[in-house]
Amino acid sequence: MDRNKALVVFSGGQDSTTCMFHAMANYGEVELVTFDYGQRHSKEIEVAKNIAEEQGLKHHVLDMSLLGQLSPNALTEHGMNIVQAEDETVPNTFVPARNMLFLSFATALGYQTGAGTIITGVCETDFSGYPDCRDIFIKSMNVTANLAMDRNFVIETPLMWLDKKQTWALADEYGQLDYIRNRTLTCYEGVIGDGCGECPACRLRNAGLRAYLNEKE
Amino acid sequence: MDRNKALVVFSGGQDSTTCMFHAMANYGEVELVTFDYGQRHSKEIEVAKNIAEEQGLKHHVLDMSLLGQLSPNALTEHGMNIVQAEDETVPNTFVPARNMLFLSFATALGYQTGAGTIITGVCETDFSGYPDCRDIFIKSMNVTANLAMDRNFVIETPLMWLDKKQTWALADEYGQLDYIRNRTLTCYEGVIGDGCGECPACRLRNAGLRAYLNEKE
């Protein structure tokens, strides 16, 4: 297993694309893994594939449609009683522990491909009610994966303590601000680049960008 | 979430069926989850379904065929270079961290169905080169799942320190030795009950049974 070979959990959005450039700047070999689980926009997978191809990186797309089997709707269809989440801030279609499921598969893939470093763009600063974005979860997940496979993976989270403005600054540091601005997909409406400008994802992303560009001037 | 509701990771074999009876004796509500990942024998799923039905238990069968995407063969098909496992005792078709993947899904399902206790028949005594059968892995997995979902799951492993003889003794304690002997599937050849008697799984199982019955006489 090679610590200098990094596998990036990659969605084609701003955060994971920034992580990709971080990996390319810091590791000898970089591969990407995208989880296809019936995303809001199938366009997300297409965008991820295009970026991987443009950057000449090996890209693993894993079918995770089974995530749908854990949604309350799917469980209801099978005649089950769903215990409503106690925390009302978490929506009803919430599939719990998505990052745990993704990182379990990413580390297992890393085992098979010899990648000793797993990179994910999770971020505690923008933590929006998902406990598996927290640093303490990532550290515990890292230990669990290492014990599960008797290996010494390092799960790296370059964005953990950054806000959106700082993430744009990092993109700029790698000379990739324009690329990330124009080629990635964050928008809930599926509009690449600066997006629809109205959805919560666009607002957060664009506010960070404006703040960074203002500061830079 | 209800600590008194148990979800048993269930394959229809001796170990997990013993865990099922352990759960029925100790918990107010019991459900089963079986992972369908292209087992050696599709019969395994059928046996699991029959037992669940006979015992009147709610049975979740989750499609985990995506496990196949992590096997060296699948990765090779996609033109990848596979790093051979350093440990020659682990076979080449080995999908790493299977228990980590299963327990990630089982705890996420427990979150959705309100089961606070997850029961699995893993066993360190029969540890055969799979690090995710070890007690230290299970404890770490438990912490990771709890952090991932901000819940207090308990992962229980009734067989962790038992050998096969003692697992038969536990079955007998619950008055289910004959049921488990006749209705479960352990045999690599797909023969229910005492099995083909020749494969490694049958040898281990039957030696334990003989030892227990001899001692009992």
Side-chain angles (χ1 to χ4, degrees), chain A residues 60 62-64 66 69-70 75 80 86 94 96 100-101 104 107-108 112-113 131-132 134 137 140 144 147-148, chain B residues 1 60 62-64 66 69-70 72 75 80 94 96 100 104 107-108 112-113 131-132 134 137 140 144 147-148:
Chain A
H60 309 268
L62 293 188
D63 177 359
M64 287 278 274
L66 90 164
Q69 301 173 69
L70 292 178
L75 295 171
M80 297 190 39
E86 288 146 37
F94 173 60
M100 178 171 71
L101 300 169
S104 295
T107 50
Q112 297 289 43
T113 62
D132 60 348
R134 294 176 301 171
F137 160 74
S140 181
T144 297
L147 287 170
Chain B
M1 213 170 65
H60 308 267
L62 293 188
D63 177 1
M64 288 278 276
L66 90 164
Q69 299 174 67
L70 292 179
L75 294 173
M80 297 189 39
F94 173 59
M100 179 172 70
S104 295
T107 50
Q112 296 290 40
T113 62
D132 60 347
R134 293 176 302 171
F137 161 74
S140 181
T144 297
L147 287 170

Side-chain angles (χ1 to χ4, degrees), chain A residues 1 5 31 58 60-67 69-72 75 79-87 90 92-97 100-101 103-105 107-109 111-114 130-132 134 136-137 140-151, chain B residues 1 5 31 58 60-67 69-72 75 79-87 90 92-97 100-101 103-105 107-109 111-114 130-132 134 136-137 140-151:
Chain A
M1 212 171 62
K5 178 171 179 176
E31 296 186 355
K58 192 167 278 185
H60 309 268
V61 180
L62 293 188
D63 177 359
M64 287 278 274
S65 53
L66 90 164
L67 269 197
Q69 301 173 69
L70 292 178
S71 76
L75 295 171
M80 297 190 39
N81 295 317
I82 299 305
V83 175
Q84 199 66 25
E86 288 146 37
D87 183 351
V90 177
N92 187 38
T93 54
F94 173 60
V95 170
M100 178 171 71
L101 300 169
L103 287 169
S104 295
F105 277 91
T107 50
L109 180 62
Y111 180 102
Q112 297 289 43
T113 62
Y130 297 111
D132 60 348
R134 294 176 301 171
I136 192 173
F137 160 74
S140 181
M141 180 74 227
N142 200 152
V143 173
T144 297
N146 290 4
L147 287 170
M149 290 171 272
D150 212 5
R151 289 292 185 276
Chain B
M1 213 170 65
K5 177 172 179 175
E31 295 186 355
K58 191 166 279 183
H60 308 267
V61 180
L62 293 188
D63 177 1
M64 288 278 276
S65 51
L66 90 164
L67 268 196
Q69 299 174 67
L70 292 179
S71 76
L75 294 173
M80 297 189 39
N81 295 318
I82 300 305
V83 175
Q84 199 67 24
E86 288 145 36
D87 184 352
V90 177
N92 186 38
T93 55
F94 173 59
V95 170
M100 179 172 70
L101 301 170
L103 287 170
S104 295
F105 277 92
T107 50
L109 180 62
Y111 180 101
Q112 296 290 40
T113 62
Y130 296 112
D132 60 347
R134 293 176 302 171
I136 192 172
F137 161 74
S140 181
M141 180 74 226
N142 200 152
V143 173
T144 297
N146 289 5
L147 287 170
M149 290 171 273
D150 212 5
R151 289 291 185 276

Side-chain angles (χ1 to χ4, degrees), chain A residues 64-188:
Chain A
M64 287 278 274
S65 53
L66 90 164
L67 269 197
Q69 301 173 69
L70 292 178
S71 76
N73 291 344
L75 295 171
T76 306
E77 279 164 19
H78 292 88
M80 297 190 39
N81 295 317
I82 299 305
V83 175
Q84 199 66 25
E86 288 146 37
D87 183 351
E88 289 295 334
T89 63
V90 177
N92 187 38
T93 54
F94 173 60
V95 170
R98 214 175 56 180
N99 283 322
M100 178 171 71
L101 300 169
F102 287 174
L103 287 169
S104 295
F105 277 91
T107 50
L109 180 62
Y111 180 102
Q112 297 289 43
T113 62
T117 299
I118 312 293
I119 300 181
T120 172
V122 297
C123 171
E124 185 158 328
T125 316
D126 286 334
F127 170 59
S128 7
Y130 297 111
D132 60 348
C133 289
R134 294 176 301 171
D135 189 56
I136 192 173
F137 160 74
I138 296 291
K139 289 188 163 82
S140 181
M141 180 74 227
N142 200 152
V143 173
T144 297
N146 290 4
L147 287 170
M149 290 171 272
D150 212 5
R151 289 292 185 276
N152 293 307
F153 293 105
V154 173
I155 301 182
E156 204 197 344
T157 55
L159 312 184
M160 183 59 80
W161 307 109
L162 306 186
D163 61 22
K164 278 281 176 246
K165 186 181 81 175
Q166 293 169 312
T167 302
W168 283 113
L170 186 62
D172 204 14
E173 227 173 84
Y174 293 125
Q176 301 292 350
L177 189 140
D178 286 342
Y179 183 90
I180 293 176
R181 180 174 180 176
N182 295 321
R183 303 292 293 130
T184 65
L185 172 63
T186 304
C187 173
Y188 287 173

Side-chain angles (χ1 to χ4, degrees), chain B residues 168 193-198 201-211:
Chain B
W168 284 113
D194 288 343
C196 75
E198 298 298 331
C202 277
R203 283 168 192 268
L204 187 66
R205 168 177 162 144
N206 294 342
L209 180 60
R210 274 193 304 275

Side-chain angles (χ1 to χ4, degrees), chain B residues 133-202:
Chain B
C133 289
R134 293 176 302 171
D135 189 55
I136 192 172
F137 161 74
I138 295 291
K139 288 188 165 80
S140 181
M141 180 74 226
N142 200 152
V143 173
T144 297
N146 289 5
L147 287 170
M149 290 171 273
D150 212 5
R151 289 291 185 276
N152 293 305
F153 293 103
V154 173
I155 302 181
E156 205 197 344
T157 54
L159 313 184
M160 183 58 79
W161 307 109
L162 306 186
D163 60 22
K164 278 282 177 246
K165 185 180 84 175
Q166 293 168 313
T167 302
W168 284 113
L170 186 62
D172 203 16
E173 227 173 82
Y174 293 125
Q176 301 292 348
L177 189 140
D178 286 341
Y179 183 91
I180 293 176
R181 179 173 181 178
N182 295 320
R183 302 292 291 129
T184 64
L185 172 63
T186 304
C187 174
Y188 288 172
E189 301 296 330
V191 183
I192 295 182
D194 288 343
C196 75
E198 298 298 331
C199 72
C202 277

